[in-house]
Amino acid sequence: MDAGLDTLARSAPWLPYALDLAGTFVFAISGAMAGIRQRVDVFGVLVLSFVAANTGGITRDILIGAVPPAAIRDWNYLGVSLAAGFLTFCFPSVIRQRWNPVLVFDAAGLALFAVTGADKALAYGLDPVMATVLGMLTGIGGGMARDVLLREIPTVLRADLYAVAALAGAAVVVVAHRLQLPYGLAALVGGALCFALRVLAIRRGWQLPRATGHEPGMPGAGAGQPRPDDD
């Protein structure tokens, strides 16, 4: 590992790990709530919790050569995922808030994983551009797998500023690393930026231009439109 990782380990060895587990927890809740919304059984809820919480990180680790991936090597990732899923299954009404809980917790997980994913990619020697991309991939991977298992169009393909928000958060960490700024500050600013962009996009309907020009009656015409519970 490079000098950046050594500096990080000396200054705050617990911080990236703690943020990674926090992201695992909130993404697991989003997976569990998505399963409850689709009325799957308790095993399905736990599967969706683990998939939503860990697919992005596993994909990132395989791509950068950190094998076996942390989510498989460290039992804490499985434990946190299952605990979050089981608590959500038992007390779904406590999780429900004014906003759609799947989207709120998904935004929180997106922010946490975008910053930790970019940092880990940098620690394994990736260049700034690819570290930013892998930060985004870490953030969106779990939500994509969750949606595919539930036979839904992945949020990243239809949501307002989803991958863009993750890119912005990861970019903050990468720029801060280049400027040799403290990781804690970079993670806070990057995570807050990602979360704020995503939540504001949900509440205010900010979105990138959408594909048009389909013919009436064409299969898939209307695909990609937001679901009613995305508001």
Side-chain angles (χ1 to χ4, degrees), residues 96-156:
R96 293 191 178 98
Q97 310 258 338
R98 179 171 174 263
W99 291 335
N100 185 316
V102 175
L103 296 179
V104 173
F105 285 103
D106 190 76
L110 183 72
L112 289 165
F113 276 169
V115 298
T116 60
D119 176 70
K120 190 166 185 177
L122 288 170
Y124 274 78
L126 269 71
D127 65 75
V129 173
M130 293 312 301
T132 303
V133 172
L134 275 185
M136 176 197 70
L137 177 63
T138 307
I140 69 176
M144 290 180 64
R146 174 200 65 209
D147 293 344
V148 168
L149 286 177
L150 292 173
R151 295 188 299 177
E152 299 176 351
I153 299 174
T155 303
V156 67

Side-chain angles (χ1 to χ4, degrees), residues 26-38 48 52 88 92 95-110 142-143 146-147 150 152 155 158 162 195 198-199 202 227 229-231:
V26 294
F27 249 138
I29 291 176
S30 81
M33 288 301 299
I36 290 170
R37 187 186 62 204
Q38 296 293 338
L48 287 167
T88 305
I95 305 298
R96 293 191 178 98
Q97 310 258 338
R98 179 171 174 263
W99 291 335
N100 185 316
V102 175
L103 296 179
V104 173
F105 285 103
D106 190 76
L110 183 72
R146 174 200 65 209
D147 293 344
L150 292 173
E152 299 176 351
T155 303
R158 57 178 167 75
Y162 191 74
F195 183 79
R198 181 71 185 111
V199 171
I202 294 170
R227 296 174 300 179
D229 60 356
D230 281 0
D231 295 330

Side-chain angles (χ1 to χ4, degrees), residues 14-137:
W14 52 269
L15 185 56
Y17 185 60
L19 291 177
D20 221 23
L21 288 180
T24 300
F25 185 81
V26 294
F27 249 138
I29 291 176
S30 81
M33 288 301 299
I36 290 170
R37 187 186 62 204
Q38 296 293 338
R39 303 182 65 82
V40 304
D41 62 22
V42 62
F43 182 76
V45 168
L46 296 180
V47 168
L48 287 167
S49 297
F50 182 81
V51 167
N54 296 286
T55 300
I58 290 173
T59 304
R60 174 206 61 211
D61 287 354
I62 291 173
L63 289 175
I64 65 177
V67 291
I72 297 174
R73 184 179 66 251
D74 186 348
W75 69 269
N76 286 318
Y77 288 90
L78 174 63
V80 168
S81 301
L82 297 184
F86 187 72
L87 288 173
T88 305
F89 181 82
C90 293
F91 307 104
S93 60
V94 177
I95 305 298
R96 293 191 178 98
Q97 310 258 338
R98 179 171 174 263
W99 291 335
N100 185 316
V102 175
L103 296 179
V104 173
F105 285 103
D106 190 76
L110 183 72
L112 289 165
F113 276 169
V115 298
T116 60
D119 176 70
K120 190 166 185 177
L122 288 170
Y124 274 78
L126 269 71
D127 65 75
V129 173
M130 293 312 301
T132 303
V133 172
L134 275 185
M136 176 197 70
L137 177 63

Side-chain angles (χ1 to χ4, degrees), residues 6 11 24 40 59 93 130 144 167 169 172 175 177 205-206 212 215:
D6 293 336
S11 62
T24 300
V40 304
T59 304
S93 60
M130 293 312 301
M144 290 180 64
L167 277 173
V172 169
V175 171
H177 176 82
W206 295 346
T212 59
E215 298 178 6

Side-chain angles (χ1 to χ4, degrees), residues 111-112 115 169 172 185-200:
L112 289 165
V115 298
V172 169
L185 176 63
L188 177 63
V189 174
L193 175 62
C194 177
F195 183 79
L197 283 174
R198 181 71 185 111
V199 171
L200 286 173

